[in-house]
């Protein structure tokens, strides 16, 4: 409990501030003194951290932040008896600080999620025995034992004759890959086959997986141009107001002869009406309304500042597997030789695959409507396929070279096979007694809404690009089906990162859409990272936006929502700035007092808030 309170102290202070303000409003009519005490308590509880951070930045970093201005404006309102206004100013600022803190804490959890995927210990062979060694202590050249279902702990080479490795976490490829002796193994990938031995060629600090962790961390720590601009504007704004208010007081008392008491009063009015509440409200309620509207459509965004980058996006990069496609193989077509009994062949395949958890086996089982045979002998030929003996017949299921190594195949069928392979399909062949019996073509199915989504993005002037770890022909086929013109295939995470950096160096604002560990560095570096809701925890935590329903149609909706939101924010900014200027002029010419200044100031705030709330009912008409 103490740990939770310590982690969420800023959130608790903000909530407490709001509670005291509400209590004060209730008591204000009957007991003004007690109400003032409640407002002061809310002021102190909600504002202590902003005051501390503002003073710290001023003394240590020599930077004047808006924290100082907000505290002074609130104190100024309180000095002349308007503690409610001061408390409200503090509450608004405390709330924004709390949201920023929560976002930063979530960012740190991204690195923790990545680190949790790495095995803590490694099974190392020493003197003929397997011992578990902390991953950081494994020396280069160690003989490592990797069990079925274990993560490959370190980069190295395969020592066993063969292995079946799922590299989806690194390359995004949905199909496991056959490895033979001396092939390279990448840390963070999964052993989908039998146990094997490997030799590591790098320590954990230099491993591929650890480099991904470092890339994510570095990309997240890079400060955006927007952040730098905001810091410069904030510093200038605070300096201007802090210099203008005392000069105004001195000028009013010594030149205009208003008297020091009246001049100070007018200075407090100026400090109050010049405080940026209306300016803050110009964007915040609109952002929050847009966030809520997006959430109703299954779009979760980690911060309202995401809309700023979305407005500028002119290129969007898509991962293929799990993003533009379903992410799981399925049978798209098949062919059974006329002389072969279709039902019997189906039963043979089901008998062979019924106990397997391999994605291809599951796809075949989902496709075939048949029961397994009991009078068969099954032999798993790891890395090649499966051999089934049924009575006097020998059936083979697997790769072409295994199933049809001594068979002659009709030219028409060979042409069909070639066409399917050119489209990136994976083919599983079946033979009986060395004669062609049939084949099944599997593919990662394209999501039905992908093509329409790409077309809408083109209408918005956004260029779509595919970055994938898949081979060129598979990537090209999928790109043609969805309408993407630019592709980059055979990408490792570092390749995706390099490509994004090239686009950004060309002056483009880039969004990245992905779902796997391999996409995490690119999601972090991109101006906007968009993760599919079904993706890995790392991809989700690293991204700025999450499509919870995996619905690609929500991307055009999001961009249209962004355009509408910025239109409303611009109107609010012009209106609020105009009101501030008019209130300042009215104060200079003594047309308003402090209560009227507060009414005008808070009234303009309410109006811009109501204007922003219109986004809650936003609808996107595709036509």
């Amino acid at each position: 409990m103490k740990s939770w309170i310590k982690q969420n102290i800023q959130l608790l202070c903000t909530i407490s501030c709001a509670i005291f303000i509400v209590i004060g409003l209730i008591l204000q009519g009957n007991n003004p003194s007690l109400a003032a005490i409640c407002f002061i308590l809310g002021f102190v509880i909600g504002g202590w951290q902003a005051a501390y951070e503002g003073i710290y930045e001023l003394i240590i970093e020599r930077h004047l932040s808006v924290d100082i201005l907000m505290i002074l404006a609130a104190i100024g309102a309180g000095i002349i008896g308007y503690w409610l206004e001061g408390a409200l100013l503090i509450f608004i600022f405390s709330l924004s600080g709390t949201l920023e803190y929560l976002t930063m804490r979530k960012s740190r959890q991204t690195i923790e999620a990545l680190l949790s995927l790495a095995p803590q210990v490694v099974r190392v062979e020493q003197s003929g025995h397997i011992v578990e060694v902390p991953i950081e202590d494994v020396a280069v050249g160690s003989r490592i034992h990797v069990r079925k279902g274990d993560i490959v702990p370190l980069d190295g080479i395969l020592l066993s004759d063969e292995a079946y490795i799922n590299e989806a976490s690194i390359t995004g490829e949905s199909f496991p890959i056959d490895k033979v002796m001396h092939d390279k193994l990448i840390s963070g990938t999964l052993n989908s086959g039998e146990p094997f031995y490997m030799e590591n060629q790098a320590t954990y600090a230099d491993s591929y997986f650890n480099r991904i962790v470092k890339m994510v961390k570095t990309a997240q720590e890079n400060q955006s141009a927007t952040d730098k601009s905001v810091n410069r504007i904030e510093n200038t704004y605070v300096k201007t107001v802090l210099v203008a208010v005392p000069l105004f007081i001195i000028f009013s008392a010594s030149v205009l002869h208003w008297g020091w008491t009246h001049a100070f009063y007018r200075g407090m009015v100026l400090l109050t009406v010049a405080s940026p509440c209306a300016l803050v409200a110009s964007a915040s309620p609109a952002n929050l309304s847009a966030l809520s509207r997006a959430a109703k459509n299954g779009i979760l965004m980690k911060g309202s500042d995401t809309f700023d980058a979305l407005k500028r996006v002119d290129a969007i990069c898509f991962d293929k597997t799990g993003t533009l496609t379903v992410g799981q193989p399925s049978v798209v077509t098949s062919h059974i030789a006329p002389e072969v009994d279709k039902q019997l062949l189906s039963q043979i395949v089901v008998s062979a695959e019924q106990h397997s958890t391999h994605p291809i086996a599951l796809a075949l089982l989902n496709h075939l409507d048949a029961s397994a045979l009991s009078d068969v002998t099954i032999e798993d030929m790891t890395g090649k396929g499966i051999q089934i003996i049924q009575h006097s017949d020998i059936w083979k299921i697997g790769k072409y070279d295994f199933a049809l190594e001594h068979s002659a195949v009709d030219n028409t069928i060979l042409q069909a096979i070639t066409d399917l392979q050119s489209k990136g399909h994976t083919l599983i062949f079946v033979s009986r007694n060395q004669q062609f019996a049939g084949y099944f073509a599997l593919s990662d199915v394209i999501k039905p809404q992908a093509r329409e989504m790409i077309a809408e993005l083109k209408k918005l002037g956004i260029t779509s690009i595919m970055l994938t770890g898949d081979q060129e022909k598979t990537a090209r086929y999928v790109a043609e089906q969805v309408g993407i013109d630019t592709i980059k295939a055979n990408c490792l995470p570092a390749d995706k990162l390099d490509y994004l950096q090239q686009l950004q160096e060309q002056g483009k604002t880039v969004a990245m859409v992905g779902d796997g560990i391999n996409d995490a560095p690119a999601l972090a570096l991109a101006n906007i990272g968009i993760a599919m809701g079904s993706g890995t925890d790392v991809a989700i935590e690293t991204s700025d936006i999450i499509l919870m329903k995996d619905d690609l149609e929500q991307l055009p909706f999001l961009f249209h929502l962004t355009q509408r939101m910025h239109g409303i924010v611009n109107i609010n900014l012009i209106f609020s700035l105009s009101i501030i200027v008019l209130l300042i002029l009215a104060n200079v010419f003594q047309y308003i007092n402090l209560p009227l200044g507060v009414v005008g100031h808070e009234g303009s705030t309410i109006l811009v808030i109501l204007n922003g709330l219109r986004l809650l009912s936003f609808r996107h008409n595709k036509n």
Side-chain angles (χ1 to χ4, degrees):
M1 185 65 179
K2 290 182 179 179
S3 176
W4 185 89
I5 292 175
K6 185 177 181 180
Q7 289 180 351
N8 296 277
I9 186 66
Q10 189 168 356
L11 175 62
L12 293 174
C13 287
T14 302
I15 295 173
S16 299
C17 177
I19 291 174
F20 278 111
I21 290 175
V22 172
I23 295 174
L25 288 171
I26 295 173
L27 296 175
Q28 195 170 28
N30 299 323
N31 197 331
S33 298
L34 188 57
I37 293 175
C38 290
F39 294 144
I40 293 172
L41 286 173
F43 181 103
V44 174
I45 294 173
W48 74 269
Q49 189 158 5
Y52 171 80
E53 291 176 356
I55 294 172
Y56 179 87
E57 286 188 40
L58 178 61
I59 296 175
I60 304 300
E61 301 179 9
R62 304 296 182 182
H63 174 73
L64 275 170
S65 69
V66 76
D67 295 351
I68 294 293
L69 182 59
M70 292 296 289
I71 294 297
L72 290 178
I75 291 175
I79 287 176
I80 48 182
Y82 292 91
W83 287 106
L84 171 60
E85 287 74 12
L88 285 172
L89 291 176
I90 291 298
F91 169 70
I92 293 172
F93 202 64
S94 178
L95 179 61
S96 65
T98 299
L99 292 175
E100 181 180 0
Y101 166 74
L102 293 175
T103 301
M104 291 301 296
R105 189 172 74 179
K106 204 70 173 177
S107 178
R108 289 192 295 270
Q109 290 174 348
T110 299
I111 305 299
E112 295 172 3
L114 263 177
L115 291 173
S116 67
L117 295 176
Q120 300 300 308
V121 295
V122 180
R123 293 168 55 83
V124 179
E125 184 180 274
Q126 295 179 353
S127 302
H129 299 283
I130 300 295
V131 296
E132 293 188 343
V133 179
I135 192 169
E136 296 87 355
D137 298 337
V138 179
V140 174
S142 297
R143 183 180 172 89
I144 297 172
H145 180 252
V146 182
R147 296 171 297 189
K148 182 175 183 178
D150 280 357
I151 298 293
V152 176
L154 298 166
D155 298 335
I157 60 172
L158 181 64
L159 297 180
S160 300
D161 291 335
E162 56 190 6
Y164 211 42
I165 304 298
N166 188 330
E167 296 186 345
S169 61
I170 300 298
T171 66
E173 171 58 60
S174 57
F175 293 97
I177 296 174
D178 292 326
K179 299 284 187 177
V180 297
M181 185 180 293
H182 298 141
D183 276 355
K184 290 185 177 180
L185 300 176
I186 303 175
S187 55
T189 55
L190 177 70
N191 178 19
S192 298
E194 298 303 315
F196 63 81
Y197 284 94
M198 63 170 287
E199 178 184 305
N200 68 306
Q201 296 181 319
T203 62
Y204 176 69
D206 297 325
S207 69
Y208 200 90
F209 188 83
N210 192 50
R211 292 203 302 273
I212 291 180
V213 175
K214 290 181 179 178
M215 283 190 287
V216 172
K217 188 174 182 179
T218 301
Q220 287 186 333
E221 289 176 349
N222 285 339
Q223 190 179 41
S224 67
T226 301
D227 291 333
K228 295 176 183 177
S229 298
V230 168
N231 288 336
R232 288 195 296 267
I233 293 172
E234 176 189 46
N235 198 38
T236 303
Y237 182 85
V238 173
K239 287 179 180 178
T240 301
V241 174
L242 288 178
V243 171
V245 170
L247 287 178
F248 175 76
I249 293 174
I250 294 172
F251 179 82
S252 301
S254 58
V255 178
L256 300 180
H257 306 293
W258 287 357
W260 287 104
T261 300
H262 187 62
F264 180 78
Y265 176 84
R266 286 295 165 189
M268 291 303 96
V269 175
L270 175 62
L271 189 60
T272 300
V273 299
S275 65
C277 287
L279 288 175
V280 171
S282 296
S284 296
N287 285 337
L288 292 173
S289 297
L291 288 172
S292 298
R293 185 67 188 92
K296 286 183 179 179
N297 272 41
I299 306 170
L300 297 186
M301 306 176 72
K302 294 186 177 179
S304 55
D305 58 342
T306 303
F307 286 112
D308 295 330
L310 272 175
K311 180 186 177 183
R312 301 189 300 274
V313 168
D314 45 24
I316 182 166
C317 298
F318 291 92
D319 174 49
K320 180 187 75 68
T321 305
T323 303
L324 294 172
T325 65
V326 175
Q328 291 292 334
S330 61
V331 178
V332 293
T333 186
S334 62
H335 175 78
I336 309 299
E339 65 274 12
V340 177
D341 184 277
K342 183 177 180 181
Q343 184 62 23
L344 176 59
L345 184 144
S346 298
Q347 289 180 303
I348 290 293
V349 174
V350 170
S351 301
E353 307 287 2
Q354 61 179 330
H355 299 300
S356 175
T357 58
H358 190 281
I360 291 179
L362 295 176
L364 291 171
L365 291 173
N366 288 332
H367 176 71
L368 297 172
D369 183 16
S371 57
L373 299 172
S374 58
D375 57 342
V376 294
T377 302
I378 301 173
E379 182 180 358
D380 187 356
M381 315 293 287
T382 304
K384 297 180 180 180
I386 300 174
Q387 180 173 284
I388 306 98
I389 299 176
Q390 191 237 1
H391 303 317
S392 59
D393 292 329
I394 299 176
W395 296 79
K396 290 184 178 181
I397 304 171
K399 297 180 178 179
Y400 185 94
D401 292 341
F402 169 68
L404 301 170
E405 57 183 338
H406 300 299
S407 304
V409 180
D410 182 85
N411 288 333
T412 304
I413 296 175
L414 285 176
Q415 184 59 50
I417 291 171
T418 302
D419 292 342
L420 290 169
Q421 289 176 333
S422 68
K423 296 177 181 178
H425 295 330
T426 297
L427 272 72
I428 300 299
F429 297 91
V430 183
S431 69
R432 182 178 62 183
N433 300 326
Q434 302 298 331
Q435 299 299 313
F436 173 78
Y439 65 74
F440 297 90
L442 296 90
S443 179
D444 190 359
V445 179
I446 298 171
K447 292 182 178 179
Q449 68 271 35
R451 186 172 185 84
E452 182 179 357
M453 177 269 299
I454 296 297
E456 280 208 61
L457 292 178
K458 284 184 178 179
K459 292 179 182 178
L460 291 169
I462 299 173
T463 302
S464 296
I465 303 165
M466 181 194 295
L467 304 180
T468 178
D470 275 355
Q471 55 187 329
E472 178 82 20
K473 60 182 180 181
T474 302
R476 180 66 61 187
Y477 174 74
V478 173
E480 290 174 355
Q481 295 301 303
V482 300
I484 292 179
D485 298 323
T486 305
I487 67 168
K488 186 171 178 61
N490 301 306
C491 288
L492 290 174
D495 299 324
K496 294 182 179 182
L497 208 60
D498 291 341
Y499 191 80
L500 285 179
Q501 289 174 332
Q502 291 174 18
L503 291 174
Q504 291 172 333
E505 288 170 0
Q506 295 170 12
K508 294 185 180 295
T509 301
V510 186
M512 175 70 196
V513 186
D515 70 326
I517 295 175
N518 60 305
D519 301 316
L523 288 169
L525 179 66
N527 302 92
I528 292 292
I530 304 173
M532 309 304 291
S534 61
T536 63
D537 290 341
V538 176
I540 291 174
E541 292 296 337
T542 306
S543 63
D544 305 292
I545 300 170
I546 306 168
L547 302 182
M548 297 303 296
K549 299 178 182 178
D550 285 1
D551 185 0
L552 293 176
E553 290 182 344
Q554 297 308 320
L555 282 178
F557 170 87
L558 182 58
F559 281 104
H560 284 288
L561 176 64
T562 299
Q563 290 179 349
R564 177 66 62 84
M565 189 211 73
H566 278 95
I568 288 177
V569 168
N570 288 336
I571 293 173
N572 286 348
L573 286 171
I574 294 172
F575 175 75
S576 59
L577 283 170
S578 300
I579 293 297
I580 289 176
V581 171
L582 288 174
L583 289 175
I584 290 174
L585 292 175
N587 179 50
V588 170
F589 292 104
Q590 304 184 62
Y591 290 140
I592 61 171
N593 54 21
L594 183 57
L596 284 177
V598 172
V599 169
H601 183 262
E602 298 300 329
S604 63
T605 303
I606 292 173
L607 287 176
V608 296
I609 288 174
L610 292 176
N611 192 35
L613 292 177
R614 292 193 299 122
L615 287 167
L616 291 172
S617 58
F618 172 78
R619 294 184 182 278
H620 166 49
N621 186 353
K622 295 181 181 181
N623 297 326

